[in-house]
Amino acid sequence: MEAPIAAAFASGRIIDAILLLVACEALALAWIGRRRGLPLPSLLTNLASGAALMLALRAALVGAGWVAVAGWMLAGLVAHLADLGLRFRAATAQRRSPAPAGTTPQTVAFTRVT
């Protein structure tokens, strides 16, 4: 049992399998997000960051040069920074949006205890 797992790691095939699962996850999340109207860019950049780090690991496992490993790590950093930028922009926009007009369950009319 140990030999096939060791061979999968040595050849990088284990990372290929994980990347296939990440791609399936991205497709499923994109499909669900489209049906429910969820914002996907931040989620997809997060998955891209993880995928780039997996590719860096694969490059290291198969003995690729340091330039390939560093390149994938740089791609992961760029995707991670894009993810952070999208999250920061969404949080800032949410803070700046005006309060909804009218009475909602969160207003004093509903939360005041007499």
Side-chain angles (χ1 to χ4, degrees):
M1 176 81 178
E2 188 176 316
I5 295 174
F9 273 93
S11 67
R13 294 290 178 213
I14 192 78
I15 303 301
D16 294 340
I18 294 169
L19 286 171
L20 181 63
L21 290 174
V22 169
C24 290
E25 180 183 9
L27 289 173
L29 290 171
W31 181 71
I32 291 169
R34 254 188 164 179
R35 295 189 69 195
R36 295 190 180 174
L38 300 174
L40 292 176
S42 180
L43 181 63
L44 294 178
T45 54
N46 189 300
L47 287 175
S49 174
L53 292 178
M54 287 290 198
L55 288 166
L57 174 62
R58 185 186 192 291
L61 286 174
V62 299
W66 69 269
V67 174
V69 175
W72 285 118
M73 290 179 72
L74 180 61
L77 173 66
V78 169
H80 178 64
L81 291 175
D83 178 34
L84 288 176
L86 289 170
R87 289 174 190 246
F88 181 74
R89 184 180 309 159
T92 304
Q94 186 177 19
R95 252 193 327 250
R96 290 184 182 168
S97 64
T103 306
T104 66
Q106 291 78 29
T107 59
V108 176
F110 288 100
T111 59
R112 184 177 47 204
V113 178
T114 56

